[in-house]
Amino acid sequence: MKKLWEGRIDGKKDASVESFNASIGFDKRLYNEDIIGSIAHAKMLSKIGVLTVKEYESIASGLEAIRQDITAGKFTFTEELEDIHTHIETALRERIGDAAGKLHTARSRNDQINVDMRLYLKKYIDEIVRELISLEKTLHSIAAAHTKTVMPGYTHLQPAQPMVLSHLMLAYFFMISRDIGRLNDCAKRLDMLTLGSGAFAGVNYPIERDMVRSDLGFARISENALDSVSDRDFIAEFLAGIAILFTHLSRIAEDFIIFNSNEYRFVELADGYTTGSSIMPNKKNPDMLELTRGKCGRVFGDLISVLTLMKGLPSAYNKDLQEDKEPMFDAIDTALATIPIVRAVLETAAFDKERMRESCDRGYMTAVEIADYLVAKGLPFREAHNIVGRIVRHAVTKKKTFAELTIAEYKSFSDNIGDDIYDAVKPEQSIQRKVSMGSTGEASIKAQLVQAQGLIERFKSDIKSGSY
Amino acid sequence: MKKLWEGRIDGKKDASVESFNASIGFDKRLYNEDIIGSIAHAKMLSKIGVLTVKEYESIASGLEAIRQDITAGKFTFTEELEDIHTHIETALRERIGDAAGKLHTARSRNDQINVDMRLYLKKYIDEIVRELISLEKTLHSIAAAHTKTVMPGYTHLQPAQPMVLSHLMLAYFFMISRDIGRLNDCAKRLDMLTLGSGAFAGVNYPIERDMVRSDLGFARISENALDSVSDRDFIAEFLAGIAILFTHLSRIAEDFIIFNSNEYRFVELADGYTTGSSIMPNKKNPDMLELTRGKCGRVFGDLISVLTLMKGLPSAYNKDLQEDKEPMFDAIDTALATIPIVRAVLETAAFDKERMRESCDRGYMTAVEIADYLVAKGLPFREAHNIVGRIVRHAVTKKKTFAELTIAEYKSFSDNIGDDIYDAVKPEQSIQRKVSMGSTGEASIKAQLVQAQGLIERFKSDIKSGSY
Amino acid sequence: MKKLWEGRIDGKKDASVESFNASIGFDKRLYNEDIIGSIAHAKMLSKIGVLTVKEYESIASGLEAIRQDITAGKFTFTEELEDIHTHIETALRERIGDAAGKLHTARSRNDQINVDMRLYLKKYIDEIVRELISLEKTLHSIAAAHTKTVMPGYTHLQPAQPMVLSHLMLAYFFMISRDIGRLNDCAKRLDMLTLGSGAFAGVNYPIERDMVRSDLGFARISENALDSVSDRDFIAEFLAGIAILFTHLSRIAEDFIIFNSNEYRFVELADGYTTGSSIMPNKKNPDMLELTRGKCGRVFGDLISVLTLMKGLPSAYNKDLQEDKEPMFDAIDTALATIPIVRAVLETAAFDKERMRESCDRGYMTAVEIADYLVAKGLPFREAHNIVGRIVRHAVTKKKTFAELTIAEYKSFSDNIGDDIYDAVKPEQSIQRKVSMGSTGEASIKAQLVQAQGLIERFKSDIKSGSY
Amino acid sequence: MKKLWEGRIDGKKDASVESFNASIGFDKRLYNEDIIGSIAHAKMLSKIGVLTVKEYESIASGLEAIRQDITAGKFTFTEELEDIHTHIETALRERIGDAAGKLHTARSRNDQINVDMRLYLKKYIDEIVRELISLEKTLHSIAAAHTKTVMPGYTHLQPAQPMVLSHLMLAYFFMISRDIGRLNDCAKRLDMLTLGSGAFAGVNYPIERDMVRSDLGFARISENALDSVSDRDFIAEFLAGIAILFTHLSRIAEDFIIFNSNEYRFVELADGYTTGSSIMPNKKNPDMLELTRGKCGRVFGDLISVLTLMKGLPSAYNKDLQEDKEPMFDAIDTALATIPIVRAVLETAAFDKERMRESCDRGYMTAVEIADYLVAKGLPFREAHNIVGRIVRHAVTKKKTFAELTIAEYKSFSDNIGDDIYDAVKPEQSIQRKVSMGSTGEASIKAQLVQAQGLIERFKSDIKSGSY
């Protein structure tokens, strides 16, 4: 088909120009949304009398057939027909003749691309949220299984205080919950019909936008046509949400890459999610987690791409906007590929409880408990601290853990120390003393598990069951 | 005061190390929040019996006095006392003696900084939203005043269709409304008490977090201490919201820079918001708008800074997180400085209605109306289009507008054209024919004004009246 | 073929894992470089006696055949064989049997991928530089053709001083020259053989790296194996060079989008490089330039992706590095597609000399010349400026240009003004008075053209004639 | 002083406008360069007769006095005098009267700011390079001291092969050398006098730019005035260089944060460069290194800021460009603060040779040596590999290192193994066998040390001795 605007243009376009201009290479992913939008538009046009019922039916069944062809891979794409709209329109004309042309009444391409992208993104945000909920279920079930599994907690990657593994899993859980919240907010804000904006001034027909809105399942109608045709906020907001999500995934990855190192060995990643060496079976390269961490770069780049392209654009549609699609698609693909991988890596990881427990001892993580012990015996705070500092220094020198120091050694620092010190220095004891809400203590962990379960239920019910 | 952890450290820190490490240069902005948080914490400690009422009162009045000193500029900051917490604690000890030390019971610095930043950002998001509402009022009032002001609408910066100036102002209005929505969502998500997390494992005291939450005016309590101490999502989400806001402000700026150019002259910016040349009074450099556009770079940079620093951090607190503050402060300052400037520039701009009206004619923006006219007279669509194309070409060659073509000239292209063509080619006519919701037509503009007014009211009532 | 490291791994990899892990989707672009590198490595191995001459010949001809297959599209890629190295190795084994395995002596995949990427980027930097030189030739020839074409020069998009069109073209020229300089510096810095690094510790064989270096045409040998295997500086540096280049291309695009607007009409872009409307032949959407401007976002994103992924990586190879390729490929493709488009758009643009000349008058761009005129007649500087300010204000009110003011009007502001004022206010006169080096004056423009020609020659000769 | 362009502007500027517009808050850092540039300009003006010698002398001594005042902190800055140029000019007028005004002959502010920034950046690149050379000396001396210190080498943070500590230090060394190369290239490219460009069209005076160039110590003169006034490439290129540098510093930081962890303990950071806990003397928070890693975010942000602001700017000066300074200053400050800290942290770090040596054993890093041993005894490659895999699995199960396995245990896997196996599995042996250039083998390390020393010498001599 001749391009509509070619009437006035004398020379043919150079192939390199067609190629530079064409978006079909990536916007063909929107065929489904494009066709759904067109059918809803046609239906409305028949309602207001612009199309006869017969024309509408011909258009709708023609489009449906094209959809099936594309889905079945029986459709040929070419850069000559620059975008998905032109492809579908041309195919429709071939099938049903000139009636196809009427479909463009009261509609512009700026209209079409915007509604296509919103339909598409709405759907894929739901997909991503579903994957995140799955990840949350995994985190929840590991947390539920490890309420007694003691491990070292670090700050600055230095030994700090013991905690239970559930505490870590629940930390991840609540991070991811915020990500879901952000994506849901984005989905709500974009849930708006923009179709009916024309080029930006609206159209000369008494179109019924609310009918189209309802058919396409949007929550609201956009208020201003000029704003609508170049509004790409939803993409930038989505990409920001994905970027923040990937900071979380990269932090999980970093933790597990370190825990999987030979010096830590807190965790053994499953063979299916590592690569190795035939002669060093102990070597388990955490490729999946490294790629997860590396993909931060990718999604940050996607975000910057879209922000940059929006900067300083004059009002209404400018062709720059065509550059909005690939970053969005890339972020969707990256999220959908990565989340299940992270989930599976965690699900199949084996934790070495003994190593983690030992590490608490080697890190003298209960030093503060000795101080509390001494304070409880009546020593002033600063004196108690001073004594503990000296005990730790002694233990380090002797390469002994607190549990391995003899009572005589303890007493050489303070007569106030008795046999009950061995209880005090147990990591389990330290954990048990954490009684505040949100802490790693038993009651708090139980409460967190309940809260987390509640969130999972809520998130599940938030996903709209039906879709187009 | 000696740094708490200095006990074990033999050598003194080098000045360059103190300086590298210190955050006091920027975190002193948080003094108010730091003190408020400490008072609430102390009050709760007295409730659970950790502090006596007298100790609490001494702490509270001591902190209050320090707050007044800082506000009055009577407080000395030094890099030796690396951060705001240490400054205030040291000053408190000087005032009330050792009781000051008890304030640290059941609390960590990781706790403090997080609650400080949340209190601060909550407050400043409200400030920013207030400024955005002011900007919206200005947009609304310009829109209300210019429902009959005809101007050219462009796509690709090329003449497209006439519209009214209100349509443009309302487009800006609804962009900004989404920004407010995003900032409000961010404010809601961050509205969570994290205090009581300890280092990350919780604390050994039966603290009453709900009491502190209520005193500090937070909506919720954070669920997991480990997550809480290194959660900086709220900063990244805020910065993303500001980055998107600046894409909008930069687009407004770009429009007006172009409209203010000598070739357009659609608008004359007020002297107070331009710089000029004594010998070229016609030269009005739109510095304010250019800076607005340029500041996109700044806030995109702030966003990338925070995302980058979060990438791949191990769980819990890492010192890297200290780098989170300056980007947040910078974005707040930039937003609060820029929004009122944009508002004032728009408010004081004078629109040249005549130039804008003429430009519609010179751009042949009603060509499509001639085509519709011909179709209405019975010509087939393609033939009508062909004729109009030739008319425009003729008019361009003759340097005439549609209004300036004689009826003889019109008839030389088609006998179907009569005197009523002169009505058809009026931009006003074209605008009048836009009847769809959201269009630039009269009914739609009126409806948009009402919707916009409703949003202003809602946004105003959303801002929490009370604050700490 | 079984993956080498699969020996120890019990379970099969999940398809989603293979897909997540696989790089074949993009690294197949490196097949040529991979094969060239392998042949050079094999040749060296035969030199040091690790391979027999016969083995080497078998390997070399096998690889050559595979190369032809891939080039001819007769090669099947599959995600199961994760990367290009494995594909080629497997194919080689099928062709020549177990001797294929010997190719891996004294080499690692970390070695391979690094040398592949350096070979590839060296070649494509040359390609990009060639395109930039073509663009420079176009700029030079427009500049040479328009040494008398007067146009307005702006600052802040406000009328400032007249200049010749050559001045603008030469400004672009020297921008692009710096881009070439940066890319050439990058090419020089990356021109280093890293092969022979092994995993990072070097290899157990007395390999002759200088022989390989010479065969592959590298300038130097990398000094440290550990550094070499994870050095991706060259990609980041390349992407920074491309990002800066695109700021230039986007500025050229912005100028021409504005010049092509209906209010400016300084330039008419060729039909082949615009899209339009059948009924508005005056509408010429500068899609190519808008896409050029928008693609800034893309390449900025590529740069941020690579910087982000490098942040905080432990030494030596980490799988994150696999994410380095797509941004590099994307930036190469984007540059190679965009530069010729910009060149062609400029080459085919028609400048409207009359409009540009008129605009100088309408902008009162020679106001400063009147001031100089008055100073030359003996008036003090400030008085002269004051007079000129009033003259401009008068002219604006009367809607007259300087040329259109009568001598009586002039004299009403100052008796010092005589008939020679009409010469003084000509833009040509203003341009003629620019006598400094680098100015828009005639002598300077001529000198710049000579300098520019010299640069073109130098850049051409800098591109290595031979390549692998 | 009244702003020059205020003549035509009726109303006074609002304070918020002055503040928004003002750059004095940050551009005052350029006072030295601004004054130097002005003196050179004045000298040239006296040479060409625009200034009398007396006027020149008065200007020069006046400026010199102002410089001393500012340096001594005796100068008052105010936002009313928006920028550094206006401050100095106003002060000069107060000192020497109207002659001050003549200084502006044949010069524009666009001229001034550009030359100021180039002078400034040239100087500070030299400073940064000096610091990098110091860092290199430290790396070199650690490398020289540890040519026998065995440590594990990792890929994917998994045990791979033993190496010497020198190898790691030299890897850092050569990374930093590329950074120096990039910064030097940037310094060379920016080493160009732009003064004499006027607003963009050049000036009406026969200025002698070569004289000014020579006085200010620039290598070249800019070719085109229009390009010169808005060329900010040098800032973007500098920031890209700093961004890449920080990827390296962050990688060094990451290595040492991990090596400093309690599970690794390869290194003990000096007290002066860590923070700790009075009761856990073993806890050494590597704050300096964490901040170094975190500052990646900052400098990436600076880079994105400048790239973003340049995107799509029309030719010549636009006020957006004012936003270029803070990112440049921030990156300079960040680099100058961070590099010496990293140097000092490395210099004062104590390596635990024993731990590192043990870790090689625990990681079975010489497994490949056993395979080579078996191949040397005549076993086929695959069989050898299979045997080694089983040996490692056995050793892991028994929690023995290779050295701890008995000869009987070895022989149970293969009769080919004899007592000489104990030599083969020593890490030292593995290192000794690395004979390739760039490897961790002894000869290579020695050669690298020589190469590194050569680079240090070259870099030192590259820094221009004299400066303005």
Side-chain angles (χ1 to χ4, degrees), chain A residues 156, chain B residues 318-320, chain D residues 257 285-294:
Chain A
H156 310 262
Chain B
N318 299 276
K319 187 77 170 185
D320 317 49
Chain D
I257 289 168
N285 297 334
D287 292 37
M288 303 294 123
L289 296 173
E290 292 169 283
L291 285 171
T292 296
R293 185 176 59 187

Side-chain angles (χ1 to χ4, degrees), chain B residues 154 156 158 254 263 290 359, chain C residues 154 156 254 263 290 359:
Chain B
Y154 302 94
H156 310 263
Q158 288 286 304
E254 178 82 0
E263 278 73 14
E290 293 169 284
S359 179
Chain C
Y154 302 94
H156 310 262
E254 179 82 0
E263 279 72 13
E290 293 169 283
S359 179

Side-chain angles (χ1 to χ4, degrees), chain D residues 35-47 51 56 102-108 111 195-196 203 207 211-212 215-216:
Chain D
I35 285 171
I36 288 162
S38 285
I39 293 174
H41 183 63
K43 188 171 153 200
M44 184 275 288
L45 289 182
S46 78
K47 168 95 185 299
L51 294 179
Y56 160 60
K102 291 204 176 174
L103 183 54
H104 274 293
T105 314
R107 193 173 65 162
S108 77
D111 258 0
L195 199 68
V203 299
I207 52 175
M211 176 183 169
V212 179
D215 275 5
L216 293 177

Side-chain angles (χ1 to χ4, degrees), chain B residues 154-156 158-159 254 260-264 278-279 282-284 290 308-309 311 359 362-363 368 385, chain C residues 154-156 158-159 254 260-264 278-279 282-284 290 308-309 311 359 362-363 385:
Chain B
Y154 302 94
T155 57
H156 310 263
Q158 288 286 304
E254 178 82 0
N260 179 57
S261 74
N262 201 47
E263 278 73 14
Y264 279 77
S278 61
I279 59 169
N282 63 315
K283 189 162 171 40
K284 293 208 159 189
E290 293 169 284
T308 302
L309 89 87
K311 179 227 163 186
S359 179
R362 282 194 313 274
V368 72
H385 270 235
Chain C
Y154 302 94
T155 56
H156 310 262
Q158 289 287 303
E254 179 82 0
N260 180 56
S261 74
N262 200 48
E263 279 72 13
Y264 279 77
S278 62
I279 60 169
N282 62 316
K283 189 163 172 38
K284 292 207 159 190
E290 293 169 283
T308 301
L309 90 87
K311 179 227 161 186
S359 179
R362 281 195 313 275
H385 270 235

